[in-house]
Amino acid sequence: MFKKIKILITIVILIGMTSIVLVAMETNYTGTNNSDNSVNGNFPFVENKFLESSRFTQKQEVSAEKINEYKNNFQIEYTEDELDFLGYQKVLENSSYILYFDNDSYSIILIDRDTGFTWSSRAEFQDDDESNDLIRNQMNSGIWIDYVNTKNQQFQPTRSSVYQSASVKYYLDRDAEALEGFEHLYRYKINNTTYNKTLMEIKSTVDNQKNEITSSVNYKALNISFEIKLTLGEDGINVFIDKDKIQDDNPTFQLTNIYVFPYLASARQDKVPGYFMIPDGVGTLVRFGKVTARDFLAKFYGNDLGYNDNYLPQLSLPIYGVVHMENENAMYAVINEGAEVSLLEGIFYGQSSSYFRMNTRYAVRQVYFNVIDRAGNGYRQLLKQKASSNFDISFNFLKDDKANYVGIAKEYQKTLIENEILTKREVANENIPLNVEYLMSEREKSFFGTKKITMSTTSEVSKMYNFFKDSGINNQIVNLKGYSKSGNMNTTPYKLNLIESKSNFKSLVNEVQGDDNSIFLTNDYTRATSESKRISYGKDVARNTSKLRYNFETKDINNNIYDRYILYPQSSLKYINQDNKKLSNIGFDGWSLDSETNRSQTVYQSGKYYDRNHSINIYQEMFDTVDKIQMYQPNLYALKHAYTYLDLPITNSQYDYYSDLIPLIPLILKGYISYFTPVLNYNALGRERLLTMVDFGTNPSYILTYSPTYKMRHTMSFIEYSTTFSDYQYDIVNEYNYVNNALKHVINTDFINREVIETGVVLNTYSNGVKIYINYTSSNFNLGNITVNANDYKVVLK
């Protein structure tokens, strides 16, 4: 009895204590306790820190003190006498620029005729602590190379600048007689008698009619030489390297990389108010400021698995930018040829460098890890074959209101329009488009083989389509997945043996197209697995630089092992050609393609190596065989063929030194190509994600099944963990309408400007005069007679 009483008392005490805690928690969260330590008291601080993070674009705020320091002490200025003393000669000029050139270091000074602003290819404002000859030689040289000594088993690249190879020495004593009158330039002035032309020599000729300098660059000690053409245009300069004129005949020293003007537009420490613009994901900025002590390195167009690349950033556009004081001066570089064999390198102010700089590497050859057994053992190796692409890069310069990331995007957009990569082809009527992927079926493992799991029949797809149509969504794109008896996940390239009769699919096609909408089949002709029933392992699965099959062991949800493959580009072309006739016979508008549009690899075939340029050319042949292609995150080489752009990245690699998220790709594409979010079924950001869609001009996308998702829980499509139509149908209509009520006013128009008015508040201006305010904050925003509600947007018509 006593024991029961003790238990009862204990229970009463526990209930009492729990009640006290709950009351205290309720008091705290309902705001009746207004102390500084309460949740509500801290919220403005927390929200402000969140909005100041790299998940948003920041307002450019520079103190008057910093601007004065920059303009008075860290803007480049040289007199004619100083330039002459440093070895520069005025060699080219036009109505926009004057170009000074120092032949022996291959350095340039470019002066804007209108503003007098000066750009230099050298690291300017060098300090006494940079007395190391190796570093100073690099900072003062306009050309570097990397090479390997093939007698070194590790094939570790060595970097050599022009001055380093020429064994130059500096007048490090500022009182030297040769520096009289120019003592302040002692850090840059070499003793000309020390430049050893038996080791290094550059010979240049100037063609004033073409405004061009042609230079023969000869690393004599290494027996490495190449030719560079430097052309001055009205927008800046162009550099061209002919792959066929690259010579490295000494088998001991083999060229790997070429760098041209690695310090062009570099910024000393935190003295320049500005930033880098990097095309990672949807776009990012790195502002010049705090010590980061980090490096950035990524390959344009993503990783080349032929070399086992493992870079995180996805650079789908071959550009980068440098801004020196927003709305004053900027430079952006465009790789016109050779992006598929080039890397983007960034060095940030820190222990190893006093500069922010960004430059490209033209990879003539690449060192790779040669795998020799199934355990992954191997050794470093150098591919003797040179790149199959020339290197052509333009450095363009902007000023005034174009000197910012928006101006860079708009100028690059003009280039893509001129090259007919961008044309006016938004999927438009009076409303924005809705893209829906309908998953029709999947295969589930059974005791004997597999069995079909039906998720959406053609009639059920019709029901879902018509629900949205009856709800007022009259601009739809239908994407069918799992339409093949092969299944859905891991069985590409699918066989076109349809899960229902041809007449059923024709009926669905006619219904969708009768409403002036489009219907596509998804496929991937580049990737396959051991589950794929169509391919031949011996004939279709490609080999990498180690001469091994692209075969990646993977496990499914049940811990079953299967293999992933990459196919030869010729096999991809073969299969799409086989399927195009069946596609058109039924009447589908085209394909939705994935890997072909955003991945390319170096392959080994029939005793020869073929770099990514070869794969890209074949993929472009594939694109030419189809009238309409929806593309998942296409790289530039595919963009010309894109009917729409699917899966627009919502962020970037989110390195801790990234300062801002920017809509670089939307700024370029808006008004020309319709682009869509990744499927919003898995939107964990709620209203913020919808506001970002309005901000970036992005159209919505979903994946749906008519049957409950749990039916395919034991299939490879388990990763699509929430697809049931009945769970989403009304949310989709509401979310679509919310976004459409803003973006329907700017269909077929492009961005004119994007401005961060204050932290968390953005103003987008479009070419038809419409302005859209986006307020990411939890407070109403007032500007004159305009009020933008908290976590909402406001459309102001012209």
Side-chain angles (χ1 to χ4, degrees):
M1 181 71 177
F2 178 73
K3 198 174 202 179
K4 290 182 179 178
I5 293 173
K6 271 179 74 178
I7 293 172
L8 182 62
I9 292 171
T10 303
I11 293 172
V12 170
I13 292 172
L14 285 173
I15 292 173
M17 291 297 294
T18 303
S19 300
I20 292 170
V21 171
L22 289 174
V23 169
M25 290 175 64
E26 182 180 6
T27 301
N28 194 34
Y29 281 98
T30 54
T32 56
N33 179 0
N34 290 318
S35 70
D36 290 339
N37 293 324
S38 72
V39 172
N40 287 340
N42 284 334
F43 183 75
F45 173 80
V46 173
E47 180 187 49
N48 199 57
K49 285 298 182 184
F50 174 63
L51 295 171
E52 288 177 349
S53 73
S54 60
R55 277 183 52 179
F56 298 89
T57 311
Q58 303 307 314
K59 182 176 175 61
Q60 176 80 1
E61 293 181 322
V62 185
S63 68
E65 181 182 5
K66 185 163 186 175
I67 292 173
N68 288 335
E69 180 188 28
Y70 163 61
K71 293 195 171 183
N72 294 332
N73 302 316
F74 290 95
Q75 275 196 346
I76 305 166
E77 292 182 359
Y78 284 115
T79 66
E80 289 283 347
D81 288 342
E82 289 173 331
L83 290 171
D84 182 65
F85 174 76
L86 291 174
Y88 289 102
Q89 293 181 331
K90 185 194 295 185
V91 292
L92 300 175
E93 57 184 311
N94 56 25
S95 61
S96 299
Y97 301 102
I98 302 170
L99 186 137
Y100 292 82
F101 180 64
D102 173 38
N103 178 78
D104 287 346
S105 65
Y106 203 84
S107 299
I108 62 168
I109 292 286
L110 190 71
I111 300 177
D112 188 305
R113 281 188 180 275
D114 182 37
T115 65
F117 188 83
T118 301
W119 296 95
S120 172
S121 67
R122 290 180 174 177
E124 298 290 348
F125 309 105
Q126 295 174 29
D127 208 345
D128 289 342
D129 61 357
E130 285 140 346
S131 57
N132 180 293
D133 276 355
L134 176 65
I135 300 300
R136 198 178 294 280
N137 283 337
Q138 289 184 354
M139 293 193 295
N140 293 333
S141 298
I143 296 173
W144 305 347
I145 64 168
D146 290 338
Y147 66 92
V148 297
N149 185 332
T150 57
K151 293 181 179 179
N152 182 342
Q153 293 297 313
Q154 293 301 311
F155 289 96
Q156 191 65 39
T158 300
R159 183 168 297 178
S160 180
S161 64
V162 168
Y163 269 175
Q164 180 187 351
S165 191
S167 295
V168 303
K169 301 297 181 185
Y170 292 85
Y171 290 102
L172 294 183
D173 178 3
R174 71 177 72 205
D175 297 324
E177 184 177 340
L179 296 171
E180 187 174 349
F182 300 96
E183 293 84 358
H184 57 296
L185 299 177
Y186 78 97
R187 303 181 190 96
Y188 311 92
K189 180 63 176 176
I190 65 168
N191 185 333
N192 291 334
T193 62
T194 65
Y195 194 109
N196 192 337
K197 292 191 176 181
T198 65
L199 301 175
M200 175 80 227
E201 187 172 25
I202 299 176
K203 293 182 179 179
S204 300
T205 58
V206 178
D207 187 332
N208 291 111
Q209 287 187 328
K210 294 181 179 179
N211 248 356
E212 186 174 87
I213 305 169
T214 302
S215 301
S216 174
V217 181
N218 193 346
Y219 282 76
K220 293 181 177 179
L222 303 171
N223 207 16
I224 294 173
S225 64
F226 47 91
E227 182 183 274
I228 299 182
K229 287 190 177 181
L230 172 62
T231 306
L232 179 65
E234 294 298 330
D235 297 320
I237 59 174
N238 177 264
V239 170
F240 178 79
I241 300 176
D242 187 338
K243 62 179 174 56
D244 294 327
K245 294 186 178 180
I246 298 173
Q247 301 294 324
D248 54 352
D249 298 327
N250 186 338
T252 302
F253 301 113
Q254 295 281 282
L255 179 65
T256 55
N257 300 311
I258 299 176
Y259 308 73
V260 182
F261 303 140
Y263 271 94
L264 181 61
S266 60
R268 175 79 185 181
Q269 296 175 341
D270 62 348
K271 306 303 182 183
V272 178
Y275 51 76
F276 291 136
M277 185 213 74
I278 302 174
D280 180 9
V282 73
T284 191
L285 303 182
V286 178
R287 295 186 185 269
F288 306 152
K290 64 180 181 180
V291 175
T292 57
R294 301 293 175 82
D295 299 343
F296 173 92
L297 187 63
K299 184 166 281 188
F300 290 104
Y301 301 157
N303 292 321
D304 184 345
L305 296 181
Y307 292 104
N308 296 310
D309 286 339
N310 191 28
Y311 303 108
L312 179 61
Q314 183 70 29
L315 311 181
S316 64
L317 299 173
I319 63 172
Y320 71 92
V322 187
V323 172
H324 283 211
M325 191 71 195
E326 199 166 59
N327 299 324
E328 290 203 2
N329 295 284
M331 180 206 82
Y332 75 98
V334 180
I335 303 180
N336 306 304
E337 185 179 358
E340 65 278 3
V341 292
S342 297
L343 296 91
L344 182 62
E345 178 182 77
I347 304 296
F348 306 139
Y349 168 41
Q351 285 185 336
S352 62
S353 176
S354 295
Y355 292 86
F356 288 94
R357 67 171 172 85
M358 186 149 280
N359 57 269
T360 56
R361 288 186 189 178
Y362 171 42
V364 178
R365 291 190 185 87
Q366 188 162 329
V367 176
Y368 65 98
F369 187 75
N370 188 36
V371 179
I372 59 174
D373 60 30
R374 293 181 64 87
N377 297 309
Y379 52 88
R380 288 168 64 85
Q381 185 60 270
L382 176 74
L383 192 65
K384 297 296 179 69
Q385 183 175 303
K386 297 175 187 173
S388 66
S389 301
N390 302 318
F391 184 66
D392 186 316
I393 184 170
S394 297
F395 298 95
N396 307 283
F397 300 92
L398 303 173
K399 56 193 174 187
D400 302 329
D401 60 354
K402 292 182 178 180
N404 49 60
Y405 73 86
V406 177
I408 292 172
K410 300 307 293 179
E411 289 300 306
Y412 185 57
Q413 181 189 65
K414 289 180 185 177
T415 301
L416 299 185
I417 294 170
E418 289 170 2
N419 293 329
E420 298 183 341
I421 293 171
L422 291 185
T423 57
K424 286 285 185 179
R425 56 184 190 270
E426 277 196 354
V427 182
N429 52 33
E430 69 275 11
N431 296 305
I432 66 171
L434 169 70
N435 180 75
V436 183
E437 299 177 350
Y438 294 103
L439 205 168
M440 303 186 72
S441 73
E442 184 55 296
R443 307 298 299 186
E444 180 179 306
K445 297 279 187 182
S446 62
F447 189 74
F448 293 108
T450 62
K451 64 178 181 180
K452 183 176 72 170
I453 304 297
T454 300
M455 300 302 298
S456 310
T457 64
T458 51
S459 63
E460 289 168 344
V461 171
S462 175
K463 286 179 184 178
M464 293 184 278
Y465 169 81
N466 279 294
F467 171 81
F468 296 130
K469 177 182 172 181
D470 295 341
S471 300
I473 304 177
N474 59 6
N475 189 357
Q476 298 183 52
I477 298 176
V478 175
N479 234 324
L480 299 185
K481 305 181 79 169
Y483 54 83
S484 167
K485 291 179 181 178
S486 303
N488 177 45
M489 195 68 63
N490 295 329
T491 56
T492 57
Y494 304 120
K495 292 181 177 181
L496 282 192
N497 48 352
L498 303 175
I499 58 171
E500 293 184 37
S501 68
K502 186 176 177 180
S503 61
N504 285 357
F505 277 94
K506 274 193 171 183
S507 176
L508 179 61
V509 167
N510 292 336
E511 180 179 21
V512 172
Q513 293 176 344
D515 296 327
D516 291 326
N517 290 321
S518 300
I519 181 168
F520 294 83
L521 297 181
T522 61
N523 217 330
D524 189 331
Y525 290 98
T526 304
R527 301 291 171 122
T529 75
S530 50
E531 302 292 317
S532 304
K533 305 303 181 186
R534 186 177 188 182
I535 65 162
S536 164
Y537 183 83
K539 295 179 180 178
D540 295 327
V541 178
R543 295 180 183 271
N544 60 21
T545 50
S546 298
K547 303 180 184 178
L548 301 176
R549 302 281 183 187
Y550 281 104
N551 188 335
F552 310 96
E553 191 175 276
T554 313
K555 291 183 180 180
D556 66 12
I557 188 174
N558 297 313
N559 222 28
N560 296 316
I561 295 175
Y562 67 100
D563 296 319
R564 293 185 179 276
Y565 308 136
I566 297 174
L567 306 185
Y568 283 117
Q570 296 94 327
S571 294
S572 302
L573 178 61
K574 173 186 68 176
Y575 287 124
I576 197 172
N577 280 331
Q578 290 175 0
D579 292 346
N580 282 338
K581 186 175 181 181
K582 296 179 181 177
L583 183 86
S584 60
N585 281 344
I586 298 175
F588 289 103
D589 288 277
W591 297 107
S592 294
L593 297 181
D594 192 348
S595 301
E596 302 88 342
T597 72
N598 55 54
R599 298 171 184 171
S600 54
Q601 277 72 234
T602 296
V603 299
Y604 173 82
Q605 188 174 21
S606 302
K608 294 183 179 179
Y609 292 95
Y610 299 91
D611 66 18
R612 299 211 291 181
N613 190 41
H614 169 78
S615 299
I616 288 170
N617 288 337
I618 294 178
Y619 294 153
Q620 288 174 331
E621 281 186 57
M622 293 174 59
F623 304 151
D624 283 331
T625 66
V626 190
D627 289 335
K628 291 181 180 180
I629 306 175
Q630 293 206 106
M631 294 186 173
Y632 290 86
Q633 297 186 20
N635 289 327
L636 179 67
Y637 59 78
L639 196 57
K640 180 178 181 179
H641 305 269
Y643 176 66
T644 60
Y645 186 123
L646 301 179
D647 269 8
L648 178 79
I650 62 174
T651 184
N652 48 49
S653 299
Q654 296 185 298
Y655 290 129
D656 59 359
Y657 51 75
Y658 285 0
S659 58
D660 302 60
L661 181 73
I662 61 167
L664 175 63
I665 293 175
L667 285 166
I668 294 168
L669 299 187
K670 182 69 185 80
Y672 294 87
I673 300 176
S674 295
Y675 46 94
F676 296 83
T677 62
V679 293
L680 289 169
N681 303 53
Y682 316 122
N683 171 27
L685 301 178
R687 175 61 70 90
E688 180 197 320
R689 184 75 186 97
L690 300 181
L691 288 177
T692 303
M693 291 169 62
V694 173
D695 186 1
F696 291 8
T698 315
N699 303 301
S701 186
Y702 298 85
I703 182 170
L704 296 175
T705 57
Y706 197 79
S707 294
T709 308
Y710 74 80
K711 281 184 62 178
M712 57 183 186
R713 65 192 181 280
H714 297 305
T715 73
M716 294 300 290
S717 289
F718 74 94
I719 60 171
E720 306 291 1
Y721 55 85
S722 183
T723 61
T724 309
F725 170 69
S726 59
D727 291 341
Y728 284 101
Q729 59 188 105
Y730 298 108
D731 287 341
I732 290 174
V733 173
N734 292 335
E735 291 173 353
Y736 172 87
N737 286 333
Y738 182 78
V739 176
N740 183 54
N741 286 338
L743 298 184
K744 69 181 180 182
H745 299 289
V746 293
I747 291 172
N748 278 324
T749 66
D750 45 348
F751 283 100
I752 293 298
N753 195 28
R754 182 174 186 268
E755 177 187 1
V756 180
I757 302 173
E758 65 177 42
T759 300
V761 181
V762 176
L763 168 60
N764 290 325
T765 305
Y766 289 85
S767 55
N768 62 352
V770 171
K771 297 178 184 291
I772 301 180
Y773 294 82
I774 299 95
N775 182 5
Y776 290 102
T777 76
S778 59
S779 303
N780 292 348
F781 172 77
N782 298 298
L783 183 66
N785 61 349
I786 294 173
T787 297
V788 188
N789 293 333
N791 295 122
D792 207 351
Y793 64 79
K794 175 83 171 181
V795 178
V796 179
L797 302 179
K798 187 176 179 181

